[in-house]
């Protein structure tokens, strides 16, 4: 039962501490859009998305007005397109035509992004998978709202090193195709290990094949709320610190639960999961880095950063799980450099390095996210970075990902501008020692011994 104190408390969070519902994401299965004729595939996809999602944005705005809760984004995720277009797509251009159809549909229903231009290749690539992957650079350059992801590994299957070698070049090509916009296309491309089926956050969202025909997921944020709560317990011991984070995460998640239930009821679409991820923005006070500094670090990247992040991530999950029976997705703390003012400052000062960020990804949600690197970084080096993150995910049985942006024409110390929630980032240095021979061995890194549990 919600009382007046909780209502006032929530209003305080919204008005002064940057609490928002980051996204309502409508997941749509496109499996029934499969056809051997590419024109029919495109027609079915457009009609299904525009039919199911026609009221998504207006419903989100109604809920915003009635409950005074900001809902920043309304988004769509669809079945991985490599599966949907496999029978019809004979060329890369065929897949690009589907990307353009997704973009048209997204514009028609006025969502911010549509995710699912994706392939799942953790154990191997079909011909359709490879065609889609090779089409990604062009697809992301000729669309505005389409997001792409590729799952290259899992704890159960191991790591597909052939796919990782290819993805290093795809990231480079995507950067080149969108070089006039500081290689913005790479900000819409994520390479995963252990990708979740029910992730509402872009750019990695897709509608899993185990999901129903349509489902509503909600992603909640609120790093500013957590930072404010921790400012009230400065100097207290870790027990008080952890209890404060848990209680705050509980309150944030309850807001998301309310929005999710309302959206589900009004759209007559089943509710899926709440993703409680502390997703920062470039706005002042809406930073995961500032939470870590409130915990006791002079600046994120200092010794103790990984331990502080591990504590934060765990307590956020514990508080969220108490607030909703259906917490899923990535839930935890994101550390995207370009989207977090505190991370940007730390990277600019040199306190936060790529290697430290990699260590932090061992204990938080996702991985190396929205990191600008020199445009002349070799494709094999990018593949090596992807392989390292995939190994962390595979061994630790968690989701990891890489979203790096080799900004064409820029070098260490320059700044890349991405705009909006994507923010801006300093170009960070990358270890230049070669891993070519390792990346180009070919084949697959086997699953770890602890994967055999069936």
């Amino acid at each position: 039962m919600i009382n007046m104190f909780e209502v006032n408390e929530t209003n305080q969070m919204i008005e002064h501490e940057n609490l928002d519902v980051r996204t309502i994401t409508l997941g749509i299965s496109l499996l029934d859009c499969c056809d051997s004729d590419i024109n029919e595939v495109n027609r079915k996809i457009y009609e299904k998305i525009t039919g199911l999602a026609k009221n998504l944005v207006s419903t989100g705005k109604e809920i915003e007005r009635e409950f005074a809760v900001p809902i920043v984004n309304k988004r769509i995720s669809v079945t991985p397109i490599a599966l949907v277009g496999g029978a019809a797509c004979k060329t890369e251009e065929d897949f690009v035509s589907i990307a353009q159809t997704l973009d048209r549909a997204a514009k028609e229903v006025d969502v911010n992004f549509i995710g699912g231009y994706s392939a799942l290749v953790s154990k191997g690539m079909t011909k359709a998978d490879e065609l889609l992957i090779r089409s990604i650079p062009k697809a992301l350059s000729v669309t505005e709202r389409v997001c792409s992801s590729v799952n290259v590994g899992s704890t159960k299957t191991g790591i597909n090193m052939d796919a990782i070698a290819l993805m290093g070049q795809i990231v480079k090509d995507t950067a080149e195709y969108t070089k006039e916009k500081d290689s913005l296309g790479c900000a819409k491309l994520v390479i995963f290990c252990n990708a979740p089926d029910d992730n509402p956050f872009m750019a990695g969202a897709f509608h899993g094949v185990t999901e129903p025909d349509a489902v509503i997921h909600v992603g909640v944020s609120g790093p500013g709320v957590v930072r404010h709560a921790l400012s009230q317990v400065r100097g207290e011991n870790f027990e008080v610190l952890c209890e404060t984070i848990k209680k705050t995460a509980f309150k944030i998640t309850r807001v998301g639960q309310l929005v999710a239930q309302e959206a589900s009821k009004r759209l007559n679409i089943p509710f899926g999961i709440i993703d409680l991820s502390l997703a920062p923005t470039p706005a002042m006070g809406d930073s995961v880095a500032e939470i870590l500094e409130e915990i006791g670090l002079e600046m994120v990247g200092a010794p103790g950063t990984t331990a502080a992040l591990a504590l934060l991530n765990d307590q956020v999950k514990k508080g969220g799980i108490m607030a909703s029976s259906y917490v899923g997705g990535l839930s935890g703390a994101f550390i995207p450099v370009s989207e977090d003012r505190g991370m940007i400052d730390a990277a600019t000062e040199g306190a936060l390095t790529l290697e430290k960020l990699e260590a932090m990804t061992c204990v938080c949600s996702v991985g190396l996210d929205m990191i600008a690197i020199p445009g002349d970084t070799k494709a094999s080096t990018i593949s090596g970075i992807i392989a390292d993150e995939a190994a962390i995910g595979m061994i630790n049985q968690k989701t990891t990902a890489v979203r790096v942006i080799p900004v064409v024409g820029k070098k260490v110390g320059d700044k890349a501008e991405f705009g909006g929630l994507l923010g801006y980032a300093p170009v960070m240095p990358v270890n230049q020692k070669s891993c070519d021979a390792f990346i180009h061995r070919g084949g697959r890194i086997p699953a770890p011994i602890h994967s055999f549990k069936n």
Side-chain angles (χ1 to χ4, degrees):
M1 191 71 176
I2 297 176
N3 59 43
M4 189 53 66
F5 173 76
E6 290 174 305
V7 171
N8 291 335
E9 191 176 40
T10 301
N11 287 339
Q12 169 75 14
M13 292 177 183
I14 291 167
E15 291 174 15
H16 302 292
E17 299 163 22
N18 296 309
L19 174 62
D20 56 49
V21 171
R22 188 56 52 90
T23 178
I24 293 178
T25 300
L26 172 59
I28 300 175
S29 173
L30 298 182
L31 290 174
D32 56 354
C33 298
C34 296
D35 199 286
S36 58
D37 184 331
I38 186 62
N39 294 321
E40 277 299 293
V41 171
N42 280 311
R43 180 187 65 79
K44 290 177 181 179
I45 287 174
Y46 184 82
E47 289 180 358
K48 184 161 191 185
I49 292 172
T50 54
L52 278 172
K54 61 184 177 183
N55 296 321
L56 177 63
V57 172
S58 60
T59 300
K61 289 179 178 177
E62 284 173 11
I63 294 170
E64 280 186 277
R65 285 193 300 269
E66 291 180 32
F67 294 90
V69 176
I71 301 172
V72 179
N73 296 293
K74 292 84 178 174
R75 298 167 170 172
I76 294 170
S77 62
V78 299
T79 308
I81 292 299
L83 301 176
V84 179
C89 294
K90 309 303 180 189
T91 66
E92 293 172 31
E93 287 298 326
D94 287 340
F95 273 113
V96 171
S97 76
I98 295 180
Q100 291 172 311
T101 297
L102 294 174
D103 204 44
R104 281 195 302 117
K107 289 175 182 175
E108 174 64 26
V109 298
D110 199 28
V111 293
N112 307 90
F113 288 113
I114 184 164
Y117 196 73
S118 307
L120 310 179
V121 296
S122 62
K123 202 169 184 179
M125 286 184 285
T126 65
K127 182 65 176 175
D129 290 327
E130 186 173 347
L131 281 174
L132 180 135
I133 289 171
R134 291 187 181 279
S135 77
I136 287 172
K138 183 170 184 181
L140 294 182
S141 70
V142 298
T143 58
E144 293 177 17
R145 308 187 191 196
V146 172
C147 292
S148 181
S149 59
V150 179
N151 190 66
V152 297
S154 76
T155 299
K156 278 290 186 183
T157 62
I159 300 172
N160 184 345
M161 291 301 294
D162 291 327
I164 283 180
L166 177 57
M167 287 312 301
Q169 188 59 53
I170 293 300
V171 170
K172 287 281 288 183
D173 292 346
T174 302
E176 185 64 34
Y177 266 83
T178 55
K179 64 183 178 182
E180 303 305 322
K181 298 179 180 178
D182 272 357
S183 301
L184 180 64
C186 296
K188 298 186 286 181
L189 172 60
V190 183
I191 302 100
F192 276 116
C193 178
N194 287 323
D197 279 3
D198 57 4
N199 168 24
F201 281 106
M202 300 297 168
F206 61 85
H207 187 71
V209 294
T210 61
E211 296 285 312
D213 195 50
V215 66
I216 289 288
H217 299 311
V218 168
V220 189
S221 189
V225 180
V226 175
R227 186 193 61 78
H228 177 78
L230 294 184
S231 72
Q232 308 303 304
V233 294
R234 284 179 190 156
E236 298 285 355
N237 63 29
F238 281 107
E239 183 179 353
V240 173
L241 181 75
C242 292
E243 286 299 309
T244 302
I245 296 170
K246 280 193 295 186
K247 288 176 182 177
T248 307
F250 177 89
K251 294 169 187 174
I252 294 169
T253 307
R254 293 301 284 176
V255 173
Q257 179 84 1
L258 174 65
V259 170
Q261 289 173 338
E262 281 298 316
S264 174
K265 181 171 67 176
R266 297 181 190 202
L267 292 167
N268 195 30
I269 292 172
F271 161 53
I273 56 99
I274 299 285
D275 188 319
L276 174 62
S277 289
L278 297 180
T281 72
M284 188 70 72
D286 202 25
S287 162
V288 169
E290 288 176 10
I291 297 175
L292 300 177
E293 289 161 11
E294 188 63 55
I295 288 174
L297 306 173
E298 179 183 357
M299 178 171 273
V300 66
T305 295
T306 306
L309 183 58
L311 178 154
L312 172 65
N313 210 56
D314 184 54
Q315 301 309 311
V316 164
K317 289 176 187 286
K318 286 173 178 172
I321 285 170
M322 287 299 292
S324 174
S325 297
Y326 298 102
V327 172
L330 300 165
S331 293
F334 285 174
I335 51 171
V337 172
S338 79
E339 299 173 25
D340 187 310
R341 185 179 293 272
M343 296 285 181
I344 294 167
D345 291 344
T348 301
E349 286 202 22
L352 190 62
T353 64
L354 196 61
E355 288 74 19
K356 185 60 176 179
L357 281 162
E358 184 179 296
M360 293 164 68
T361 66
C362 297
V363 299
C364 76
S365 296
V366 199
L368 296 172
D369 196 16
M370 288 302 293
I371 297 170
I373 60 176
D376 61 0
T377 304
K378 293 196 303 182
S380 59
T381 299
I382 295 171
S383 293
I385 292 169
I386 297 168
D388 284 343
E389 273 304 302
I392 289 170
M394 176 183 73
I395 295 297
N396 292 295
Q397 304 179 66
K398 69 184 291 292
T399 302
T400 52
V402 172
R403 187 164 47 151
V404 295
I405 304 153
V407 187
V408 175
K410 294 199 171 178
K411 59 186 185 303
V412 174
D414 291 341
K415 187 170 74 173
E417 294 278 359
F418 306 120
L421 283 176
L422 297 175
Y424 64 96
V427 176
M428 298 178 69
V430 174
N431 190 320
Q432 296 299 314
K433 296 298 183 182
S434 175
C435 61
D436 290 17
F438 173 70
I439 293 301
H440 295 298
R441 280 180 175 272
R444 184 161 50 95
I445 294 177
I449 187 67
H450 60 249
S451 68
F452 303 109
K453 291 183 177 179
N454 53 331

